[in-house]
Every structure is written in C-alpha cells, then in structure tokens.
C-alpha cells in the first residue's frame, strides 16, 4: 500500500514513528504536508495535488492535523475520502473533536461520565453558571485550547467571575467545569484504535500544577485500566466517530469522567510509558480497512456494469 502521513512537521516523534511502522510493515510511506496540498473538485474526478504531484496513487492516510489547521486539514482529509482513500480517522470526527463544547455535548448524549460543565454567553448569567457547576474551585476552558493552554483553575468565586468576564470581554468562547479534586493533578490517557484500548498511561502534573499534560511538564507511567475505564474510553471514541483516539479521563468517586477525546494523540508519551508499538496498531487498522475495500470493489464494479447495461 501507499500510505501517506499528513503532517506539517516531518521531525515530530509521532510522524517519524508512523513512517517507521508503515515501512516495517512492507508498505511505502510518504509524508505529506497537508497545508501545501491543493485540490481539484469536479464531477466524478476529485484530485489532490502536492508540490506539483498528483496524489492519485495514495491508498490510505494517517491524518495528523494540528489545532491551528483544523479547517484546511480536515478539508484535505475529506477530499481523500471523496477519492475513496482509507483514512485512520474520518474528517468529520476530527472537526467534531476539536471543539471541547461539542465533544462534551456528544459524550453527554451518549450517557458517558463527565465533569459537570456549563456554557453561556452573557456576563449576567455567570453567577448562575458558577452555581450550576457547584461553585469554586472550578475550571475554565477555552473551547479550542490544547496541550493545557487555555485551561485555568479558579480557586474562588471572585477569581472565577473575573477570569470569565475577561475571556468574554476578549470575545472568547469558554466552558466552565466542575473541578475534580480527587484527580489531584493526575489523569488517564487511553489510546484507542478501532474499538480497542491499545495502551494506557497515567499522567501526573509537575509540582504546583493541576494540568497533567506532558507539554506542561507532566510525567507518565503505564497504568492498567479498570473495566469501567476501558469501557468508557471505547464508548467515547465511538460516540465521537473516531477510529484512532486519545481519550483523557479523570478517576473520581463517581467513576471515570471524560475530559476530552483527541483525534491526533501523540505517540511519544504513550510508547515510552507502555513500551508498546502503538504506531503499528494504526497501520494494522489501515490494512484491514483497505482489504475490506478491495474485497468490495469487484462487486461494486459488477453492479455498475449491470446498471449501465440496463440503460
Ligand atoms: P487540553 O486540551 O488543553 O489538554 P484538558 O481539558 O484535557 O485540555 O485539560 C488539561 C488538563 O487539566 C487535564 O489533563 C487535567 O489534568 C486538568 N483538568 C482539566 N479539567 C479538569 C477538571 N475539571 N478537574 C480537574 N482537573 C482538570
Ligand atoms: Mg487534554
């Protein structure tokens, strides 16, 4: 197979590991910077070009779409989908997972455990919103933040009101969330591929920090998930429509609470903590999907011929 890793940075650990896994599996790997792809849209003949090359030879893609390029990146993934190329994640699910509010709404609709979360627009509703999530301390989040940036812990109601008003004043959309004290700066990242947890780690925030993101100085170790945690992670990925997902959860007295579902989860932390080859799991999924597609092809071609002969 010709498998493309869509990534704007070929030096990232995850990009390099995917290339390695593709090549050790006997396929051809190509890193494609999706920000430099351009598309042709016309009846029955969708195309993608990259640095003058027509990408019609690509059989499967692993999208690694960063937060700053969600719109353009998912449009490129969608174009590959239109061309019947197998993707590690659907474009629609990538867009869905990028918005923390949308993610929480979908997970809540699927009946999954979550921290109590509120969303409002007007400053006059802030007091009520704060009580809705159980008062201070509480967590305030920018809808499209990532790697812990834009996640603030407000210890008092006064601090919360000021921060919320400041965010509104700057025209930012935020959500307000119950602070899960039991978490004590730790969370769990479950890496899900095709309905299975292929690795899990516990992340612990550095001293004096409540955000356990590795980018914020957190550390990681392997963890064995409870049956509940495993089931929640799998259901969360499924509800979001993601085949490859990094599901972040907080253990609490009321069971696992899901914080977010990432569509381009990093490999470095999880592979180091678990000692597992996670990249290969994604390649195995693409192989299975590609085989299904190939097996279905002769039938669709047959159908087309039959249909045409009737005309
Ligand atoms: P990001 O997308 O920036 O990673 P998250 O929602 O995952 O944003 O939050 C970052 C980190 O902050 C989490 O991994 C967790 O350690 C901590 N955190 C987030 N929300 C809460 C909460 N409601 N209660 C306690 N800790 C939280
Ligand atoms: Mg996170």
């Amino acid at each position: 197979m010709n498998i493309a890793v869509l990534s704007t940075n070929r030096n990232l650990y995850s990009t390099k590991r995917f290339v390695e896994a593709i090549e050790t599996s006997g396929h051809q790997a190509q890193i494609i910077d999706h920000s430099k792809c351009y598309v042709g849209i016309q009846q029955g003949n969708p195309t993608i070009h990259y640095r003058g090359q027509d990408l019609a030879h690509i059989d499967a893609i692993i999208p690694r779409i960063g937060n700053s390029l969600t719109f353009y990146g998912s449009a490129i993934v969608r174009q590959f989908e239109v061309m019947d190329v197998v993707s590690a994640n659907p474009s629609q699910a990538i867009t869905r997972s990028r918005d923390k509010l949308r993610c929480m709404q979908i997970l809540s609709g699927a009946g999954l455990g979550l921290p109590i979360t509120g969303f409002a627009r007007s400053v006059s509703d802030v007091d009520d919103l704060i009580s809705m999530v159980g008062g201070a301390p509480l967590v305030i989040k920018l809808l499209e933040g990532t790697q812990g940036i834009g996640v603030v812990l407000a210890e008092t109601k006064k601090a919360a009101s000021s921060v919320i008003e400041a965010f509104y004043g700057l025209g930012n959309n935020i959500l307000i969330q119950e602070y899960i004290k039991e978490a004590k700066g730790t969370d769990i990242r479950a890496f899900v591929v095709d309905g299975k947890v292929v690795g899990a780690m516990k992340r612990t925030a550095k001293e004096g920090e409540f955000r356990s993101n590795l980018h914020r100085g957190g550390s990681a170790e392997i963890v064995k998930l409870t049956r509940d945690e495993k089931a929640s992670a799998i259901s969360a990925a499924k509800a979001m429509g993601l085949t490859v997902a990094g599901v972040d959860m907080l253990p609490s007295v009321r069971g696992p609470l899901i914080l977010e579902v990432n569509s381009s989860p990093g490999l470095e932390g999880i592979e180091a903590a678990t000692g597992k080859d996670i990249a290969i799991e994604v390649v195995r999924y693409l192989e299975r999907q590609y085989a299904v597609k190939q097996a279905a092809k002769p039938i669709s071609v047959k159908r087309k011929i039959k249909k045409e002969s009737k005309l």
Side-chain angles (χ1 to χ4, degrees), residues 100 146-148 187 189 203 213 248 259-260 262:
K100 286 192 201 298
T146 186
Q147 300 178 347
D187 77 350
R189 155 69 58 95
R203 299 181 299 192
N213 302 67
D248 293 351
L259 278 185
E260 64 167 348
N262 296 278

PDB file of all heavy atoms in Angstrom, residues 100 146-148 187 189 203 213 248 259-260 262, ligand 2:
ATOM      1  N   LYS A 100     -14.229  21.610  22.311  1.00  0.00           N
ATOM      2  CA  LYS A 100     -14.446  20.946  23.600  1.00  0.00           C
ATOM      3  C   LYS A 100     -15.928  20.915  23.983  1.00  0.00           C
ATOM      4  O   LYS A 100     -16.396  19.970  24.598  1.00  0.00           O
ATOM      5  CB  LYS A 100     -13.658  21.651  24.696  1.00  0.00           C
ATOM      6  CG  LYS A 100     -12.169  21.377  24.639  1.00  0.00           C
ATOM      7  CD  LYS A 100     -11.511  21.880  25.923  1.00  0.00           C
ATOM      8  CE  LYS A 100     -10.026  22.109  25.756  1.00  0.00           C
ATOM      9  NZ  LYS A 100      -9.253  20.930  25.427  1.00  0.00           N
ATOM     10  N   THR A 146      -5.476  23.567  23.594  1.00  0.00           N
ATOM     11  CA  THR A 146      -4.883  22.230  23.574  1.00  0.00           C
ATOM     12  C   THR A 146      -3.576  22.265  24.344  1.00  0.00           C
ATOM     13  O   THR A 146      -3.031  23.347  24.605  1.00  0.00           O
ATOM     14  CB  THR A 146      -4.674  21.721  22.127  1.00  0.00           C
ATOM     15  OG1 THR A 146      -4.230  20.364  22.185  1.00  0.00           O
ATOM     16  CG2 THR A 146      -3.666  22.555  21.360  1.00  0.00           C
ATOM     17  N   GLN A 147      -3.086  21.105  24.728  1.00  0.00           N
ATOM     18  CA  GLN A 147      -1.843  20.951  25.486  1.00  0.00           C
ATOM     19  C   GLN A 147      -1.860  21.765  26.780  1.00  0.00           C
ATOM     20  O   GLN A 147      -0.844  22.286  27.214  1.00  0.00           O
ATOM     21  CB  GLN A 147      -0.634  21.347  24.616  1.00  0.00           C
ATOM     22  CG  GLN A 147      -0.545  20.485  23.364  1.00  0.00           C
ATOM     23  CD  GLN A 147       0.595  20.859  22.456  1.00  0.00           C
ATOM     24  OE1 GLN A 147       1.212  21.913  22.601  1.00  0.00           O
ATOM     25  NE2 GLN A 147       0.889  19.986  21.508  1.00  0.00           N
ATOM     26  N   GLY A 148      -3.055  21.881  27.359  1.00  0.00           N
ATOM     27  CA  GLY A 148      -3.186  22.563  28.641  1.00  0.00           C
ATOM     28  C   GLY A 148      -3.279  24.080  28.544  1.00  0.00           C
ATOM     29  O   GLY A 148      -3.620  24.755  29.515  1.00  0.00           O
ATOM     30  N   ASP A 187      -4.269  12.380  35.510  1.00  0.00           N
ATOM     31  CA  ASP A 187      -5.357  11.933  34.650  1.00  0.00           C
ATOM     32  C   ASP A 187      -4.914  10.676  33.907  1.00  0.00           C
ATOM     33  O   ASP A 187      -3.769  10.241  34.053  1.00  0.00           O
ATOM     34  CB  ASP A 187      -5.860  13.046  33.706  1.00  0.00           C
ATOM     35  CG  ASP A 187      -4.959  13.294  32.512  1.00  0.00           C
ATOM     36  OD1 ASP A 187      -3.840  12.756  32.479  1.00  0.00           O
ATOM     37  OD2 ASP A 187      -5.376  14.024  31.595  1.00  0.00           O
ATOM     38  N   ARG A 189      -4.763   8.697  30.163  1.00  0.00           N
ATOM     39  CA  ARG A 189      -4.892   8.780  28.710  1.00  0.00           C
ATOM     40  C   ARG A 189      -4.988   7.345  28.182  1.00  0.00           C
ATOM     41  O   ARG A 189      -4.093   6.543  28.408  1.00  0.00           O
ATOM     42  CB  ARG A 189      -3.685   9.510  28.134  1.00  0.00           C
ATOM     43  CG  ARG A 189      -3.311   9.226  26.680  1.00  0.00           C
ATOM     44  CD  ARG A 189      -4.314   9.752  25.664  1.00  0.00           C
ATOM     45  NE  ARG A 189      -4.576  11.171  25.693  1.00  0.00           N
ATOM     46  CZ  ARG A 189      -3.961  12.062  24.913  1.00  0.00           C
ATOM     47  NH1 ARG A 189      -3.038  11.681  24.069  1.00  0.00           N
ATOM     48  NH2 ARG A 189      -4.297  13.332  24.976  1.00  0.00           N
ATOM     49  N   ARG A 203      -0.964  10.143  33.789  1.00  0.00           N
ATOM     50  CA  ARG A 203      -0.098  11.320  33.731  1.00  0.00           C
ATOM     51  C   ARG A 203      -0.217  12.106  35.032  1.00  0.00           C
ATOM     52  O   ARG A 203      -1.326  12.269  35.559  1.00  0.00           O
ATOM     53  CB  ARG A 203      -0.505  12.203  32.545  1.00  0.00           C
ATOM     54  CG  ARG A 203      -0.364  11.472  31.220  1.00  0.00           C
ATOM     55  CD  ARG A 203      -0.735  12.352  30.065  1.00  0.00           C
ATOM     56  NE  ARG A 203      -2.133  12.793  30.134  1.00  0.00           N
ATOM     57  CZ  ARG A 203      -2.764  13.371  29.127  1.00  0.00           C
ATOM     58  NH1 ARG A 203      -2.138  13.607  28.002  1.00  0.00           N
ATOM     59  NH2 ARG A 203      -4.033  13.720  29.240  1.00  0.00           N
ATOM     60  N   ASN A 213      -0.867  17.596  31.499  1.00  0.00           N
ATOM     61  CA  ASN A 213      -0.340  17.487  30.126  1.00  0.00           C
ATOM     62  C   ASN A 213       1.183  17.332  30.136  1.00  0.00           C
ATOM     63  O   ASN A 213       1.865  18.038  30.874  1.00  0.00           O
ATOM     64  CB  ASN A 213      -0.669  18.748  29.317  1.00  0.00           C
ATOM     65  CG  ASN A 213      -2.148  19.018  29.250  1.00  0.00           C
ATOM     66  OD1 ASN A 213      -2.757  19.320  30.264  1.00  0.00           O
ATOM     67  ND2 ASN A 213      -2.727  18.911  28.080  1.00  0.00           N
ATOM     68  N   ASP A 248      -8.949  11.220  27.293  1.00  0.00           N
ATOM     69  CA  ASP A 248      -8.463  11.682  28.601  1.00  0.00           C
ATOM     70  C   ASP A 248      -9.566  11.564  29.634  1.00  0.00           C
ATOM     71  O   ASP A 248     -10.688  12.044  29.418  1.00  0.00           O
ATOM     72  CB  ASP A 248      -8.021  13.153  28.514  1.00  0.00           C
ATOM     73  CG  ASP A 248      -6.793  13.331  27.634  1.00  0.00           C
ATOM     74  OD1 ASP A 248      -6.194  12.311  27.244  1.00  0.00           O
ATOM     75  OD2 ASP A 248      -6.432  14.489  27.338  1.00  0.00           O
ATOM     76  N   LEU A 259     -12.690  13.883  29.964  1.00  0.00           N
ATOM     77  CA  LEU A 259     -12.346  15.293  29.799  1.00  0.00           C
ATOM     78  C   LEU A 259     -12.365  15.698  28.346  1.00  0.00           C
ATOM     79  O   LEU A 259     -12.826  16.760  27.985  1.00  0.00           O
ATOM     80  CB  LEU A 259     -10.933  15.547  30.319  1.00  0.00           C
ATOM     81  CG  LEU A 259     -10.740  15.739  31.788  1.00  0.00           C
ATOM     82  CD1 LEU A 259      -9.297  16.087  32.064  1.00  0.00           C
ATOM     83  CD2 LEU A 259     -11.656  16.832  32.311  1.00  0.00           C
ATOM     84  N   GLU A 260     -11.780  14.856  27.520  1.00  0.00           N
ATOM     85  CA  GLU A 260     -11.755  15.180  26.089  1.00  0.00           C
ATOM     86  C   GLU A 260     -11.301  13.973  25.296  1.00  0.00           C
ATOM     87  O   GLU A 260     -10.764  13.001  25.835  1.00  0.00           O
ATOM     88  CB  GLU A 260     -10.861  16.382  25.807  1.00  0.00           C
ATOM     89  CG  GLU A 260      -9.413  16.152  26.116  1.00  0.00           C
ATOM     90  CD  GLU A 260      -8.517  17.235  25.522  1.00  0.00           C
ATOM     91  OE1 GLU A 260      -8.992  18.023  24.691  1.00  0.00           O
ATOM     92  OE2 GLU A 260      -7.337  17.260  25.880  1.00  0.00           O
ATOM     93  N   ASN A 262      -9.056  13.209  21.903  1.00  0.00           N
ATOM     94  CA  ASN A 262      -8.138  13.808  20.924  1.00  0.00           C
ATOM     95  C   ASN A 262      -8.072  12.965  19.652  1.00  0.00           C
ATOM     96  O   ASN A 262      -7.958  11.746  19.724  1.00  0.00           O
ATOM     97  CB  ASN A 262      -6.736  13.896  21.527  1.00  0.00           C
ATOM     98  CG  ASN A 262      -6.696  14.834  22.720  1.00  0.00           C
ATOM     99  OD1 ASN A 262      -6.606  16.033  22.569  1.00  0.00           O
ATOM    100  ND2 ASN A 262      -6.810  14.291  23.919  1.00  0.00           N
TER     101      ASN A 262
HETATM  102 MG1  LIG B   2      -6.038  17.107  27.304  1.00  0.00          MG
END
